[in-house]
């Protein structure tokens, strides 16, 4: 492999984004779960809810701090490693990033402090309000980032203009750019993945306490709330995943073809569950196929045509030729035009034709590893169904009254903590690699977006980032494990608790009622 500046810049951005995305899902989900629990406390005044919310907020704060630190470098990389990209789309891409910092980050960080240090100093209503502000801040952050990302996937609300610094994209319709036809489903899909991550994280921690017989009654309440929360999120995610796939089929057909390993166009396309991708020979050898299902899921028609990778590459090449052929015609009209408005319109058409004639002229060799896109996408889907299966089994056990004493199943919950993280990373890899060879779909190839800097510079910063991020991750794991081992600060004087001889909290009348309901 040639380690040029482009390859190293890709590795660097991939590594930093991968690392940053470890922390994002938990922040998204845990914030809303804490807000729900704090609201339960506000309504019932049961001390266990307050203790649970405070304990989870401490874990949230550790995760949030490392997540913020790891995300800062990514924004600098747009200027250092991707300057050609920044020149073309900086006017559009910079706005949501700036709004994310100005709105979401400050909202989240301010109210985390109020929640952690305001207990007993502010009213319960203000305390619950601060929990919801943290949750809303996290969701707003995700919204702005996904607006920026979705614009790259399906750009809308812009025009291409020629400036003294070169061609750039100029915003023409904020709403169209910010809330285009794929933003909303990316947002819902991502945020719900965060709910699942947080749900499994809390269930795993509470299951660990139950296995070790520590904070038993506290853990039972935490496990039950997290289980209900995760069940809803896991089942809804199946619907969001289906809707996301439908929109990808309509707006990014090449990505869908890579998701499914389809090299040739199929009418009444099958959904292929397992197989091997042979990119060199333009073939996929599938072991299990479900006839017509991909056409049904993608176009809601069993006989719909799903275009293959080979035909789509040819289709893009034909579109590039069409734009190429328009250039001399537009130039001729431009030379004859006298009306300023007409000249501006023709000038815009000329810029668009130049950009798209180049960007759409892709070759088969420009495509990424299709095996990587296929495998990561399929593994993400399988994990999604596994999550639904685990929570449904847990609900069944809860109803039978065996959940809290089923040591084997509790260990499954503990060992499942990493799985939603893995699913989120797999989804991120498949969606970002799947949109290659473009960094902005149909407008700018990734190869044309890199900064003209020596490869050695990028290699140096990549090395430094890798070392720093590794240290950060070790510190993060140490802090989280330490906080979990230390456990919650329970309130034994509360009527919700009584303390037994072993120092564990016993069940109160209120807890008993809750647990009876669960059984």
């Amino acid at each position: 492999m040639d380690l040029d500046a482009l390859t190293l810049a890709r590795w660097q951005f991939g590594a930093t984004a991968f690392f940053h995305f470890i922390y994002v899902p938990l922040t998204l989900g845990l914030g809303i779960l804490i807000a729900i629990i704090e609201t339960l406390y506000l309504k019932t005044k049961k001390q266990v809810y307050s203790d649970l919310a405070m304990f989870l907020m401490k874990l949230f704060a550790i995760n949030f701090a490392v997540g913020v630190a790891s995300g800062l470098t990514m924004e600098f990389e747009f200027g250092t490693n991707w300057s050609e990209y920044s020149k073309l789309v900086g006017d559009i891409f910079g706005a949501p990033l700036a709004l994310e910092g100005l709105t979401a980050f400050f909202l989240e960080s301010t109210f985390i402090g109020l929640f952690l240090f305001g207990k007993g100093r502010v009213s319960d209503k203000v305390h619950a309000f601060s929990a919801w502000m943290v949750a809303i801040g996290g969701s707003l952050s995700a919204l702005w980032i996904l607006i920026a990302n979705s614009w790259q996937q399906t750009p809308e609300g812009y025009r291409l203009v020629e400036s003294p610094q070169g061609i750039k994209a100029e915003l023409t319709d904020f709403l169209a750019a910010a809330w285009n036809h794929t933003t909303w489903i990316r947002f819902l899909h991502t945020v719900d993945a965060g709910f699942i991550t947080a749900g499994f994280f809390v269930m795993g921690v509470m299951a660990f306490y139950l296995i070790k017989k520590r904070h038993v009654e506290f853990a039972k309440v935490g496990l039950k709330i997290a289980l209900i929360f995760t069940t809803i999120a896991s089942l809804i995610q199946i619907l969001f995943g289906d809707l996301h796939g439908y929109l990808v089929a309509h707006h990014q057909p090449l990505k869908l073809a890579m998701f499914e390993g389809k090299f040739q166009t199929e009418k009444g396309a099958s959904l292929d569950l397992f197989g091997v991708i042979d990119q060199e020979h333009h073939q996929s050898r599938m072991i299990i196929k479900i006839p017509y299902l991909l056409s049904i899921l993608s176009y809601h028609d069993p006989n719909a045509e799903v275009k293959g990778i080979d035909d789509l590459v040819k289709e893009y090449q034909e579109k590039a030729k069409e734009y190429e052929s328009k250039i001399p015609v537009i130039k001729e009209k431009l030379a004859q035009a006298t009306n300023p408005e007409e000249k501006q319109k023709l000038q815009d058409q000329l810029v668009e034709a130049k950009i798209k004639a180049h960007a759409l002229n892709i070759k088969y060799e420009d495509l990424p590893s299709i095996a990587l896109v296929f495998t990561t996408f399929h593994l993400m889907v399988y994990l999604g169904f596994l999550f639904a299966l685990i929570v449904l089994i847990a609900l069944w056990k809860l109803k039978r009254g065996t959940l809290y004493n089923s040591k084997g199943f509790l260990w499954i919950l503990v060992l499942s903590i990493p799985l939603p993280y893995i699913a989120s990373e797999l989804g991120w890899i498949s969606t970002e690699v799947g949109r290659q060879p473009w960094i902005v779909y149909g407008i700018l190839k990734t190869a044309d977006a890199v900064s003209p800097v020596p490869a050695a510079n990028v290699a140096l910063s990549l090395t430094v980032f890798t070392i720093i991020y590794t240290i950060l991750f070790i510190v993060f794991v140490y802090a989280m494990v330490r906080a979990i081992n230390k456990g919650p600060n329970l309130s034994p004087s509360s009527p919700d608790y009584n303390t037994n001889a072993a120092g564990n909290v016993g069940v109160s009348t209120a807890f008993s009622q809750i647990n009876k309901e669960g059984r």
Side-chain angles (χ1 to χ4, degrees), residues 321-458:
K321 287 178 184 173
E322 285 178 25
Y323 279 110
E324 186 72 41
S325 67
K326 288 179 182 178
I327 292 174
V329 178
I330 298 172
K331 281 183 176 177
E332 188 177 338
K333 288 181 179 177
L334 188 60
Q336 296 170 359
T338 54
N339 184 308
E341 288 184 2
E342 185 188 4
K343 286 180 82 172
Q344 184 60 57
K345 187 178 175 182
L346 288 166
Q347 188 65 44
D348 290 350
Q349 290 175 359
L350 181 60
V351 172
E352 183 183 18
K354 284 179 180 176
I355 286 285
K356 293 196 172 179
H358 176 72
L360 296 175
N361 186 22
I362 61 171
K363 300 189 289 292
Y364 184 77
E365 293 74 21
D366 295 332
L367 297 181
S369 166
I370 297 168
L372 177 65
V373 178
F374 173 86
T375 305
T376 52
F377 174 73
H378 279 69
L379 286 176
M380 176 197 68
V381 173
Y382 299 152
L383 282 172
F385 281 102
L386 177 62
F387 300 151
L389 177 64
I390 290 174
V391 293
L392 289 176
I393 292 173
L395 274 183
W396 177 67
K397 284 180 169 292
L398 180 69
K399 189 175 180 183
R400 292 187 63 196
T402 59
L403 176 62
Y404 304 133
N405 300 317
S406 179
K407 197 170 181 181
F409 190 78
L410 291 175
W411 270 116
I412 289 176
L413 293 180
V414 174
L415 296 175
S416 295
I417 289 176
L419 297 183
Y421 289 93
I422 294 170
S424 292
E425 295 284 5
L426 291 171
W428 170 75
I429 291 170
S430 62
T431 199
E432 296 307 310
V433 178
R435 73 178 151 112
Q436 303 301 319
W438 296 290
I439 192 168
V440 181
Y441 208 86
I443 295 178
L444 181 64
K445 293 178 189 173
T446 306
D448 295 326
V450 71
S451 300
V453 295
N457 292 8
V458 188

Side-chain angles (χ1 to χ4, degrees), residues 31 54 61 109 117 160 189 207 380 386 389 413-414 486:
M54 289 299 292
S109 53
F117 304 109
L160 295 165
H189 190 51
M380 176 197 68
L386 177 62
L389 177 64
L413 293 180
V414 174
K486 186 180 177 185

